[in-house]
Amino acid sequence: MRLSLNVKFLFLYLLFALSSFLCISTVTSQMMMKNAITEKATAFYQEGLYLSEQYVGNYFEKPQNRKTLSTVHSQLASLDVYLDASIWLISKDGELILSSDSITLLEEPEEIPDFKTVLPGGKYYMIGNFFNMFNEQTLSVLIPVSHNYHVRGYIAIHTPMSVIVQEKEGYLFSFYITMILLMLLGLCFSAANWLVTCHPLNKLRKGAGEYALGNYHTPIGMEQDDELGFLGDTMDFMAESLKDHDEDQRKLISNISHDFRSPLTSIKGYIEAMLDGTIPYEIQEKYLNIVLRETERLTKLTSGLLTLHSMDPKQNRLCKTKFDINAVIKNTAATFEGTCTSRRISIDLLFSDWESLVYADMGKIQQVLYNLIDNAIKFSQPDSVITIETTVKYEKIFVSVRDTGIGIPKESLKKIWERFYKTDTSRGKDKKGTGLGLAIVKEVIQLHNENINVVSTEGVGTEFIFSLQRAEENPDEAANSDSKQ
């Protein structure tokens, strides 16, 4: 059975209250009873010693003196009222001589059957019927009376156990009152805990349930400035991120569908036309070339998607090495020689040093350079110049790819890094573009924990600048280089 936190808190509270009551009614009650008996017995013993020293000892000098016996009886009666207990004077042979319960003196001593001077357990008090002299449980304290260093008799002080139990219950009642007050305080604490903890947790639970169903538009709205409030704000931030992710995913699927549908439609149309004879055999080569270009476009699009998927930081691992970025730039620029020659575009390389060592993944940085140079050529006018420059600043090497092409509209600068994004000019000028090149560039640079920026003006040109970690020269290599010089 599934229980809510409120029910669990209430159950624990009731369990705590019941356990407290049982603890007080058993353990505490027994401890208080034992303590009450010990205190009562000690008090009786002290009073008995005083009575023995001051009055009873004189009686045993002249045991037949009725006047002395009357005086002792008067003291016993007074002490009986003070202690609320019965006081006896017992001879060492076990005969009851005086009793504070009796108004007059006893005519003859009463024998106590089975009287023993040593009480059970060797204690100075006992609980029972005092050698069958009482019909109820009684606390009896036995105090020896000494005279001339000899025990002459005993003083016995008795009180019913019911009196001690009543006193104990009176003290225990105050414990019960205190416990009830503590339970009420605990109930107030539980209510406060519900307001401070359970109520916000319910809001978090409902919010998480809505987010699990995909409803990210209603924030939890926690107003607490504590851990729960921080958790609520974090969940709201997570919901906003998930909402953006869902929108990006829908946009991605929409763009993929658009970019795949167009070439597939063309391929399907041309092939059907060739099969049904609409396109004569003599001119089929022209349309087969179109189909080939569209196929290449689909291949390039698929490769770009696979590349982006591999850029996941949790899955991708960079293979960083130390290499000369200038040499990589030269080799990458050389691959565009044919395209540049056909469009009369020149590439100028400006290096601050003969050799610029960086620490990065050479394959991925080469891909970044390829995409940026390809992009620059794509949007440059014939007879124009593309400049690739490296500069060193502190522990970074900055690479710049600058063209004098058509530029990027201001409103599109923030969107060029999005997957499948193309400006209107791009769609009109370059039908082969997939819209993934700059997204790949951004992912690779961020994977290296570096930055890339763009500066562009329409009709003037565009410049992309990214940074790489500078690699320190090996001290041994540096020494060898100095010796050669």
Side-chain angles (χ1 to χ4, degrees):
M1 182 175 62
R2 185 177 180 181
L3 300 177
S4 66
L5 281 177
N6 292 335
V7 175
K8 289 180 181 178
F9 274 125
L10 181 60
F11 176 76
L12 290 175
Y13 171 76
L14 293 176
L15 182 62
F16 171 74
L18 180 61
S19 301
S20 301
F21 176 79
L22 291 176
C23 182
I24 291 177
S25 62
T26 54
V27 179
T28 306
S29 178
Q30 291 177 5
M31 291 177 64
M32 290 183 66
M33 188 64 185
K34 184 177 180 181
N35 186 62
I37 291 172
T38 304
E39 288 184 356
K40 184 71 73 173
T42 302
F44 285 176
Y45 193 84
Q46 295 296 329
E47 293 294 338
L49 286 178
Y50 175 78
L51 189 64
S52 171
E53 293 172 0
Q54 296 296 323
Y55 302 101
V56 179
N58 296 328
Y59 163 74
F60 285 104
E61 290 183 3
K62 300 177 180 179
Q64 303 301 324
N65 192 332
R66 300 288 290 181
K67 183 177 180 180
T68 305
L69 189 62
S70 177
T71 302
V72 173
H73 181 269
S74 176
Q75 293 298 327
L76 293 183
S78 299
L79 194 59
D80 182 312
V81 176
Y82 174 72
L83 295 178
D84 190 20
S86 177
I87 306 173
W88 294 356
L89 179 60
I90 305 172
S91 69
K92 66 178 182 179
D93 296 327
E95 294 179 341
L96 176 59
I97 302 173
L98 288 176
S99 173
S100 63
D101 296 331
S102 176
I103 300 176
T104 60
L105 298 177
L106 298 175
E107 294 295 335
E108 293 292 336
E110 181 181 352
E111 184 178 355
I112 300 175
D114 301 324
F115 177 77
K116 295 179 182 179
T117 58
V118 178
L119 299 181
K123 297 182 180 180
Y124 62 90
Y125 68 91
M126 65 176 291
I127 298 174
N129 57 12
F130 195 70
F131 306 107
N132 299 316
M133 295 297 290
F134 298 100
N135 295 324
E136 61 176 336
Q137 289 289 94
T138 304
L139 171 65
S140 301
V141 179
L142 192 66
I143 306 101
V145 178
S146 300
H147 184 71
N148 292 331
Y149 305 103
H150 294 283
V151 175
R152 305 295 185 177
Y154 299 92
I155 294 175
I157 304 176
H158 312 282
T159 187
M161 286 299 297
S162 59
V163 175
I164 299 177
V165 171
Q166 188 176 1
E167 291 181 2
K168 183 263 295 183
E169 292 295 336
Y171 289 118
L172 194 61
F173 180 74
S174 62
F175 275 85
Y176 286 126
I177 296 298
T178 304
M179 186 192 73
I180 293 173
L181 292 176
L182 289 175
M183 292 302 103
L184 291 175
L185 288 175
L187 187 61
C188 294
F189 172 78
S190 298
N193 182 64
W194 182 85
L195 290 174
V196 173
T197 306
C198 293
H199 182 60
L201 282 177
N202 283 333
K203 291 181 67 176
L204 290 171
R205 179 184 60 80
K206 291 178 181 178
E210 291 295 324
Y211 296 159
L213 295 174
N215 302 324
Y216 306 122
H217 301 283
T218 303
I220 296 175
M222 298 289 288
E223 298 178 357
Q224 295 179 224
D225 189 17
D226 54 16
E227 288 80 359
L228 290 174
F230 179 75
L231 178 59
D233 293 340
T234 303
M235 289 183 65
D236 285 340
F237 178 77
M238 178 191 68
E240 190 67 27
S241 300
L242 289 173
K243 183 175 70 173
D244 294 341
H245 177 73
D246 279 358
E247 291 177 357
D248 291 343
Q249 192 175 39
R250 284 193 293 268
K251 190 186 218 180
L252 175 66
I253 294 174
S254 176
N255 288 333
I256 290 175
S257 300
H258 178 275
D259 281 32
F260 270 83
R261 187 186 302 114
S262 179
L264 287 173
T265 302
S266 298
I267 293 172
K268 180 175 179 293
Y270 289 133
I271 292 177
E272 287 178 346
M274 285 185 283
L275 288 175
D276 61 18
T278 304
I279 299 177
Y281 178 79
E282 295 78 13
I283 59 174
Q284 283 185 3
E285 183 178 358
K286 170 186 174 183
Y287 294 98
L288 285 173
N289 287 327
I290 296 175
V291 170
L292 180 61
R293 286 196 298 270
E294 293 296 313
T295 304
E296 291 173 349
R297 181 183 171 192
L298 286 174
T299 302
K300 187 176 181 181
L301 184 62
T302 304
S303 299
L305 287 171
L306 291 174
T307 301
L308 281 175
H309 178 71
S310 68
M311 296 297 172
D312 185 357
K314 296 180 181 179
Q315 300 177 359
N316 191 68
R317 295 291 182 269
L318 293 175
C319 183
K320 288 187 175 183
T321 57
K322 183 172 68 173
F323 61 91
D324 180 15
I325 187 64
N326 294 345
V328 174
I329 292 173
K330 291 176 185 177
N331 295 333
T332 306
T335 62
F336 292 94
E337 182 178 354
T339 305
C340 291
T341 301
S342 63
R343 298 189 55 188
R344 304 188 306 279
I345 296 175
S346 60
I347 299 178
D348 287 350
L349 305 180
L350 302 177
F351 301 142
S352 58
D353 295 318
W354 178 257
E355 186 180 61
S356 297
L357 296 177
V358 298
Y359 185 67
D361 189 317
M362 186 171 70
K364 287 184 169 54
I365 296 302
Q366 191 171 19
Q367 187 178 22
V368 167
L369 290 168
Y370 184 93
N371 288 347
L372 291 178
I373 296 173
D374 180 63
N375 213 52
I377 295 173
K378 190 184 302 179
F379 299 108
S380 292
Q381 303 293 341
D383 300 315
S384 61
V385 178
I386 295 173
T387 304
I388 304 176
E389 182 179 1
T390 60
T391 55
V392 180
K393 189 173 184 180
Y394 304 113
E395 301 301 320
K396 300 289 183 181
I397 292 181
F398 293 88
V399 181
S400 165
V401 179
R402 183 171 63 251
D403 64 61
T404 55
I406 60 176
I408 303 172
K410 186 177 181 180
E411 62 273 11
S412 299
L413 281 176
K414 293 182 179 180
K415 300 179 182 179
I416 60 174
W417 308 110
E418 297 178 6
R419 301 178 183 186
F420 295 101
Y421 179 79
K422 299 179 185 178
T423 62
D424 292 338
T425 305
S426 169
R427 290 188 182 275
K429 186 176 182 65
D430 180 56
K431 296 293 185 180
K432 297 180 182 179
T434 63
L436 295 175
L438 292 180
I440 294 173
V441 168
K442 182 79 170 181
E443 293 284 349
V444 170
I445 298 300
Q446 287 183 340
L447 205 58
H448 283 78
N449 293 320
E450 300 293 341
N451 298 309
I452 182 168
N453 297 309
V454 58
V455 179
S456 183
T457 304
E458 286 190 88
V460 177
T462 303
E463 180 180 15
F464 288 91
I465 306 171
F466 65 90
S467 60
L468 291 174
Q469 181 184 347
R470 184 181 180 186
E472 295 293 336
E473 289 188 3
N474 189 314
D476 296 334
E477 293 178 359
N480 293 336
S481 177
D482 293 339
S483 63
K484 290 179 181 178
Q485 291 178 356

